[in-house]
Amino acid sequence: MPGPDAVGKSGPHHPRRPTMVDVAREAGVALRTVSRVVNGDTTVGEDFAERVRSAVDRLGYQPDERARQLRSGRTGAIGAAVRHIADAHPVLRAIDETARAVGLTVVAMSTEDDEERERDAVMSMCRRRMDGIIIEPIAQDHHYLQPEIDAGLPVVAFDRPAAGLDVDTVLSDNRGGIAQAFAHLTAQGHRRIGYIGDDERIHTGRERATAFRDALSGIGGTLDGMVHPGPVEPARVAAALAALRDRPDPATALVTGNFNTTVAVIRALGADFGGIALVGFDDFGLADLLRPGVTVVAQGDEEIGRTAIELLSARRANRARPTRTVIVSTRLIPRGSGESAP
Amino acid sequence: MPGPDAVGKSGPHHPRRPTMVDVAREAGVALRTVSRVVNGDTTVGEDFAERVRSAVDRLGYQPDERARQLRSGRTGAIGAAVRHIADAHPVLRAIDETARAVGLTVVAMSTEDDEERERDAVMSMCRRRMDGIIIEPIAQDHHYLQPEIDAGLPVVAFDRPAAGLDVDTVLSDNRGGIAQAFAHLTAQGHRRIGYIGDDERIHTGRERATAFRDALSGIGGTLDGMVHPGPVEPARVAAALAALRDRPDPATALVTGNFNTTVAVIRALGADFGGIALVGFDDFGLADLLRPGVTVVAQGDEEIGRTAIELLSARRANRARPTRTVIVSTRLIPRGSGESAP
């Protein structure tokens, strides 16, 4: 849209360049009707279109080329439906940066771990004619997106599969990451290793708890009372921690299944993390500033975000392409909390 | 849009309820044309509208009431153009939560502190017919939004004023917050207090540095070499810190002007924060877990977010209402780093 600060040449009645608002006023039609005519939408009724065209001529309205290019969709927008838009989200950062590099802008909405909100957010993006949707899926059933996909909407899921849909997907190597954390602790001599993580109804929570059980069984350890999946609430996490420590053979080391659990555990452990060895799944910004520094299994956030955009771009180029699931590997970062012997 | 999993009654050709996609196919028109006709847009050409209506009749298509309500705009969407969508953003959280409570959903875009991106993001939201826009302004000139405001778009600025626009605005009490931090340190006996903060070209950076100079002058302190505004880069922050400590009368206490500066200073200070007293402007999630805990001036993030939505709602209800600027007070939270004597 032309800036009103640009000085026009058409005399005192138009001290600034005429805008679409001026055209709408002159033609006596809605602003969106002007927008549609100016952008070549042929389904506008001929009487309305003619009124707009003659108002454009009378005012000497000239669409701003840059705005026009944006409106025409050559710079596209993709919707990202993520769990919490207000939380730090390194995958979203990578999505945003990679998207810009290929001429797309990212519009984010929050699902707040709520199926209804996810559906609202995603359908709202569909109504706003996004050029594609990237989703961090919550719902147990994503059939609601099938008509949009059938109509050509590119959709990519990340972090979790989109249940009920056959779409391109990027996942972390959850099982491999837990195996890395576990092997790191056994290498220091730990055998009684506990796990506190997310609810197993969540895909990542299930994958990580399962991988932990496999690892513990693999060294002949007892599973009994050592694996604590559940909601990430400080009281539940503190109770799980107490159960792991107040047993005849207390856990000497701990794997936490996600960032919020890691923080809740550190708060409950207090100074020097109570002498227990700790490896957290998922890295976080200030992990190196805590004492001890927090050893983590870092997810490949950048790689996940970049891959999501690559899959989306490939899908836009070829809607008939077979869908693909990409698993991105994790990386253990030792910082102190996971390097002590039992 | 009806779910494809719902079983229809119209025989083997329609094992699921017909969708708008089916109507579009049957009518031989674009999906968006069907959407416009179904939603009562009267500017669609009559021949197209008639084809859609008869396809609707033939297929027995029934719009899903809930989707229809969403499409009709009764559940509106507001755009939030914030500096970094991928960073933790407690004001955005409050905006999101308050918006939902009044039946609005929030769509966020990142401006990345770049004027061009801000304009792209905001104009992209305008094209997507948001019911209002909340902006954390970057640009030095927001005249580009004036035609949209003239056309009735409600706009609210937060954190910084939107230069060149007369819009509802919510700001932190930056000057009051710096005065609180300063008074807290003088109460412990500090007199040689340094400041490291954001670039003064940014509104908040300028307000905070100015307030700090006023406070230091107020106790008869020398300003010479004690106030270090500038870009938030670790090397620049470390150099400013070195300058404050390597002087004949080294600073015994420090006020940092924003979260990123606080973290850069803590990294540079190392163990026990090098014995220097520290108060940071802006609270952060793990401030209580560092040793010492970090004393901060917390901004009223929730209040700012809630107020932004309230101002937007009031503006939607009455476009002619005089604009208002709301200043939200700050609160000092002592946690250890700011309570030591010189």
Side-chain angles (χ1 to χ4, degrees), chain A residues 96-283:
Chain A
D96 199 32
E97 284 172 4
T98 314
R100 287 182 198 281
V102 298
L104 294 166
T105 54
V106 172
V107 169
M109 293 186 83
S110 216
T111 62
E112 298 293 327
D113 278 336
D114 181 298
E115 298 202 12
E116 188 94 349
R117 287 186 181 182
E118 175 192 303
R119 192 180 157 134
D120 281 0
V122 169
M123 294 311 290
S124 155
M125 286 169 169
C126 291
R127 287 193 308 280
R128 290 190 167 74
R129 310 214 174 85
M130 294 292 161
D131 296 294
I133 285 184
I134 293 179
I135 179 170
E136 188 175 23
I138 299 301
Q140 295 301 313
D141 183 352
H142 294 84
H143 276 115
Y144 68 86
L145 259 174
Q146 196 62 53
E148 305 293 333
I149 293 171
D150 293 346
L153 180 78
V155 173
V156 173
F158 77 95
D159 196 53
R160 313 159 179 191
L165 286 185
D166 177 30
V167 295
D168 296 303
T169 303
V170 198
L171 305 174
S172 248
D173 185 3
N174 293 296
R175 288 169 179 262
I178 290 292
Q180 274 177 314
F182 195 88
H184 187 71
L185 290 167
T186 55
Q188 325 290 326
H190 294 279
R191 289 297 174 270
R192 296 197 307 281
I193 305 171
Y195 173 85
I196 308 178
D198 218 340
D199 204 307
E200 288 200 79
R201 281 174 301 184
I202 297 167
H203 170 81
T204 47
R206 192 163 57 245
E207 289 278 299
R208 293 172 198 171
T210 302
F212 187 86
R213 288 192 190 95
D214 290 350
L216 194 51
S217 304
I219 63 160
T222 173
L223 294 179
D224 191 35
M226 296 300 273
V227 186
H228 296 265
V232 184
E233 289 155 9
R236 201 280 302 179
V237 170
L241 185 60
L244 287 166
R245 303 179 85 189
D246 300 344
R247 43 189 290 154
D249 52 345
T252 60
L254 198 58
V255 174
T256 47
N258 56 48
F259 165 65
N260 286 320
T261 302
T262 305
V263 171
V265 161
I266 291 172
R267 281 220 166 83
L269 286 171
D272 290 325
F273 299 2
I276 203 163
L278 174 69
V279 179
F281 199 103
D282 222 355
D283 199 10

Side-chain angles (χ1 to χ4, degrees), chain B residues 287-308:
Chain B
D288 64 314
L289 286 182
L290 300 187
R291 293 292 168 265
V294 184
T295 296
V296 299
V297 172
Q299 304 192 66
D301 298 316
E302 269 189 46
E303 181 70 14
I304 292 171
R306 192 164 46 232
T307 305

